[in-house]
Amino acid sequence: ERGEGLQHLAYEVEDFEASIAAFEAAGFPPILRKDGGTPVAIYMDTTPVTGFFIELIRKGFRMNDPSTWPK
């Protein structure tokens, strides 16, 4: 639809829940949550303002390192 370009930016955040709440309070709802229990990453829909999504990642989480996965 938009052709080539930026799809999302990812940020590792200190306070995952507070960051989600701040985005929601600013009018940017979550659209995709990566979880299987405790959420570890979430995409916020910032496209109306930025043209791309913002991904928030729980501090310390690494997809390829199972030792960082929530218990």
Side-chain angles (χ1 to χ4, degrees), residues 10-31:
Y11 295 93
E12 183 177 35
V13 295
E14 284 287 334
D15 190 331
F16 188 67
E17 287 75 18
S19 297
I20 293 169
F23 272 86
E24 289 180 312
F28 303 117
I31 60 161

Side-chain angles (χ1 to χ4, degrees), residues 1-64:
E1 179 182 305
R2 296 183 184 150
E4 295 180 7
L6 184 65
Q7 188 259 343
H8 78 281
L9 292 177
Y11 295 93
E12 183 177 35
V13 295
E14 284 287 334
D15 190 331
F16 188 67
E17 287 75 18
S19 297
I20 293 169
F23 272 86
E24 289 180 312
F28 303 117
I31 60 161
L32 177 64
R33 199 179 282 264
K34 293 178 185 173
D35 62 8
T38 302
V40 293
I42 188 167
Y43 284 84
M44 307 306 289
D45 188 2
T46 57
T47 57
V49 174
T50 63
F52 53 85
F53 301 105
I54 297 291
E55 179 184 13
L56 302 175
I57 302 169
R58 187 179 296 278
K59 181 146 180 85
F61 175 74
R62 301 289 181 265
M63 183 65 74
N64 296 325

